[in-house]
Amino acid sequence: MLRFNSSPAAVSRETGGELGGALVGEPPNGAIPVWPVQRIFAPLLGATTTVVHESWRVDGPVMYGHCEDIVWRKAGGLLFGVIELDEADFKGTPERSSLQAASEEAYRRIFRLLDAEQVPHLWRVWNYLAEINLETQGLERYRQFNVGRQDAFLECQRGATGNVPAACAIGLVGGPLSIAFMAGETPAVPVENPRQVSAYNYPADYGPRSPTFSRAALAYLPGQELLFISGTASIVGHQTVHPGDVVGQCREAMANIDAVLGEAKRLCRSEPFELGKLSYRVYVRQAGDFPAIRETLAPLIGKAEIVYVQADICRQDLLLEIEAMASRTLESR
Ligand code: 3EB
């Protein structure tokens, strides 16, 4: 059983079975845990603390390792890892930026580790990079990242369509390229959104290579069903809708999540997932939009857990992005 916990403490003490997690908010004063924790240094909005600590815990013995800038832990058919790469360590060329090179190398290393540890199936990936909307060498940095990511998928014989992980790709003010990942011994079931063109089929208007992710992934552990919903924005078809209208974007993003839940309903093994029973993270481009977003989401999500973070979204015209997760126990028959 994989358990997710979010606590408003700078550093949570290890209580046993920690697989990995994330620290979201201001850099804490205290020590950062030694286990794989993704540092997402971006302001929290509407929170009572300056940092939240999210962790994934499992039952049973945990194996761990550290190689090629990846810190990872493995238990119960699952592996969680974090890789941080400093772009400055990668030589760029006029045709291939250092971010593109770092992105490709990060994914190559992830795939190498997953193959070696025999946990080959990537379920969910969390990507963070500095200055995501900045154009350098004639290409926006998010698009440079997409080229490196897709090249690695193809090079490692993973394929870049269909069976690809759920993901998010978010911009921070600075810091390294940081990628966290959850992988399993068994494949996840990819879920697409009928309202949207699959991201891996986006036309070339959005960059020389399409983004490599699915809209959501259903994953299974003994007696447990997990749903990972990728970063979801105000996109219909492949186009941004409601530019400049944060409330409209917020409603559209939730309509997209609802559509993904509708697809998941056809594929899942227990009762349908509901909007009010997910755990959410919302990325808000402009802090000033936060009150309107909170008000718009409140009636839609009820008492669901939600963390708001100020960060950049991968298209200049997107004002927010919403990701979510849910877990349920499965009755054994
Ligand atoms: C979109 O739907 C919005 O590049 O991994 C959402 C989730 C987005 C993941 C990624 C990008 C990614 O295209 C952006």
Side-chain angles (χ1 to χ4, degrees):
M1 183 73 66
L2 178 66
R3 293 187 185 81
F4 177 76
N5 180 260
S6 179
S7 87
V11 178
S12 70
R13 228 165 272 122
E14 199 149 350
T15 53
E18 268 81 7
L19 196 63
L23 265 178
V24 192
E26 273 178 21
N29 298 320
I32 284 170
V34 292
W35 37 285
V37 170
Q38 185 169 41
R39 294 175 287 180
I40 305 168
F41 294 153
L44 294 175
L45 300 168
T48 52
T49 57
T50 57
V51 61
V52 293
H53 190 147
E54 301 180 345
S55 64
W56 297 96
R57 288 183 25 232
V58 286
D59 309 308
V62 177
M63 281 183 54
Y64 52 92
H66 183 182
C67 71
E68 294 193 300
D69 301 303
I70 303 178
V71 182
W72 58 270
R73 282 196 177 188
K74 181 169 98 163
L78 271 172
L79 187 147
F80 183 90
V82 179
I83 181 166
E84 282 187 359
L85 294 180
D86 187 347
E87 289 169 46
D89 293 338
F90 293 80
K91 266 215 176 59
T93 64
E95 301 79 43
R96 187 168 177 271
S97 69
S98 51
L99 173 60
Q100 183 186 323
S103 306
E104 186 177 340
E105 179 61 15
Y107 274 87
R108 260 199 237 116
R109 291 183 191 179
I110 291 168
F111 292 138
R112 219 160 26 230
L113 173 71
L114 298 185
D115 288 342
E117 293 300 321
Q118 296 176 298
V119 189
H121 303 286
L122 207 45
W123 289 358
R124 173 55 158 113
V125 187
W126 293 263
N127 302 287
Y128 298 86
L129 48 138
E131 302 275 24
I132 195 164
N133 300 125
L134 185 72
E135 186 174 315
T136 64
Q137 302 189 213
L139 195 63
E140 187 189 35
R141 280 167 53 79
Y142 172 60
R143 298 176 181 204
Q144 298 171 16
F145 163 79
N146 274 325
V147 180
R149 172 171 59 177
Q150 193 190 87
D151 282 351
F153 270 79
L154 295 175
E155 220 177 294
C156 300
Q157 270 77 52
R158 295 263 170 172
T161 56
N163 203 357
V164 291
C168 56
I170 294 295
L172 303 179
V173 172
L177 171 66
S178 171
I179 303 174
F181 53 98
M182 177 89 75
E185 280 172 2
T186 57
V189 178
V191 181
E192 288 301 307
N193 180 348
R195 304 178 80 233
Q196 295 184 307
V197 172
S198 294
Y200 46 76
N201 289 329
Y202 280 170
D205 324 11
Y206 303 98
R209 296 281 207 298
S210 305
T212 310
F213 70 96
S214 60
R215 298 300 179 183
L218 279 164
Y220 296 92
L221 292 169
Q224 186 178 17
E225 180 171 55
L226 293 145
L227 176 65
F228 296 100
I229 300 179
S230 293
T232 305
S234 181
I235 295 173
V236 177
H238 54 74
Q239 275 161 332
T240 299
V241 291
H242 317 293
D245 168 10
V246 74
V247 169
Q249 288 203 9
C250 193
R251 293 206 179 107
E252 202 70 67
M254 288 306 284
N256 278 328
I257 290 184
D258 204 37
V260 169
L261 291 187
E263 281 298 288
K265 183 176 171 177
R266 299 191 305 116
L267 301 162
C268 72
R269 297 183 189 167
S270 57
E271 324 84 66
F273 291 91
E274 296 165 40
L275 284 180
K277 291 180 181 166
L278 307 178
S279 182
Y280 292 90
R281 198 187 280 170
V282 180
Y283 301 98
V284 178
R285 186 186 285 278
Q286 297 159 353
D289 286 339
F290 163 65
I293 294 171
R294 181 171 50 184
E295 226 169 273
T296 307
L297 289 180
L300 300 173
I301 63 158
K303 292 195 178 85
E305 238 178 81
I306 186 155
V307 173
Y308 291 95
V309 190
Q310 194 205 334
D312 291 336
I313 321 300
C314 67
R315 286 187 193 177
Q316 200 74 247
D317 52 9
L318 290 174
L319 298 170
L320 76 153
E321 185 172 302
I322 307 175
E323 60 186 42
M325 194 262 310
S327 160
R328 283 199 306 226
T329 52
L330 288 174
E331 303 293 323
S332 49
R333 293 199 196 131

